[in-house]
Amino acid sequence: FDFKFLMKPRLLFIEPTAQIRGFFEGLLEGQKFRWNQEFLAEVTSIEDPCLQNLSIAVIGGDMISLSNTLAMLKKVEALRKIPILTLNNALTSEEKSQLLSMGAHDFIHYPVDAEELFVRLNNSLLLKKINDKNIENFKRITDLEKINKESIVAKKEAEESNQTKSVFLANMS
């Protein structure tokens, strides 16, 4: 069994045009990304099993389909944290701002340059990894701060108890 296959980042690719899906399938062949035929098809619902354990998403189409797909992906808790790259012809600054505010992370324009695509995919995965590590470290720091506060309270209570004990013993003698 090839365990390295399991370690490959899982790529979700949503593109309404069969010709472009075929182009990407050829482009991704032999690369470090893992996908299957259903990843290259249109996702039909947020419960779709191909939305589980994804690393990154590339979505294509016009502005309306990009907006709809982004909105659908962001409804799924597990997908809110994955990088999403949009694939399109040309967007206005206003459209780019709208997609960024909806959760897109980067843009890839037609015609697609394979080298640029892989650099953008790898950069997005690296940024996600760094962000995930930062979130993990923040949670760890928060936990340590809570433990520290609890320790300070416990120390203060112990000192007060010791003080009370000392006063009691002094009164006993």
Side-chain angles (χ1 to χ4, degrees):
F1 186 77
D2 184 10
F3 289 104
K4 288 181 185 176
F5 178 75
L6 293 174
M7 301 304 291
K8 289 182 178 182
R10 287 189 59 197
L11 171 68
L12 170 67
F13 184 84
I14 303 174
E15 168 58 53
T17 311
Q19 179 182 7
I20 295 172
R21 283 197 308 267
F23 168 76
F24 267 85
E25 187 173 356
L27 195 61
L28 294 169
E29 189 65 43
Q31 295 298 321
K32 73 174 196 171
F33 297 96
R34 180 165 73 113
W35 81 97
N36 61 30
Q37 204 53 39
E38 53 193 19
F39 292 163
L40 295 167
E42 184 72 40
V43 174
T44 56
S45 74
I46 59 174
E47 289 82 26
D48 199 313
C50 74
L51 295 180
Q52 304 305 313
N53 302 315
L54 291 171
S55 305
I56 193 165
V58 177
I59 61 174
D62 59 19
M63 184 59 188
I64 293 171
S65 67
L66 288 172
S67 297
N68 292 340
T69 304
L70 263 172
M72 181 191 72
L73 293 176
K74 293 303 176 177
K75 286 180 184 176
V76 181
E77 179 67 32
L79 299 180
R80 289 185 190 146
K81 297 175 183 153
I82 69 166
I84 299 175
L85 284 73
T86 63
L87 180 64
N88 45 59
N89 281 327
L91 296 171
T92 66
S93 294
E94 185 179 309
E95 289 171 330
K96 286 180 183 179
S97 295
Q98 182 182 353
L99 290 172
L100 287 169
S101 69
M102 292 179 69
H105 293 85
D106 200 357
F107 304 94
I108 303 170
H109 299 285
Y110 298 123
V112 176
D113 177 73
E115 186 175 339
E116 179 185 355
L117 170 67
F118 292 119
V119 168
R120 288 180 183 271
L121 288 171
N122 286 323
N123 285 348
S124 293
L125 288 170
L126 177 61
L127 288 173
K128 180 187 183 310
K129 188 176 185 178
I130 291 168
N131 187 51
D132 290 349
K133 193 66 167 170
N134 285 341
I135 290 170
E136 181 183 314
N137 288 338
F138 179 76
K139 287 178 183 176
R140 194 174 297 142
I141 288 169
T142 303
D143 291 344
L144 290 172
E145 286 175 342
K146 182 180 175 186
I147 291 168
N148 188 41
K149 285 179 184 178
E150 290 169 354
S151 297
I152 290 170
V153 168
K155 179 182 176 189
K156 185 176 179 181
E157 289 173 353
E159 288 171 348
E160 288 172 359
S161 177
N162 195 31
Q163 180 78 15
T164 304
K165 179 179 136 190
S166 295
V167 170
F168 175 77
L169 290 174
N171 288 338
M172 291 289 292
S173 42

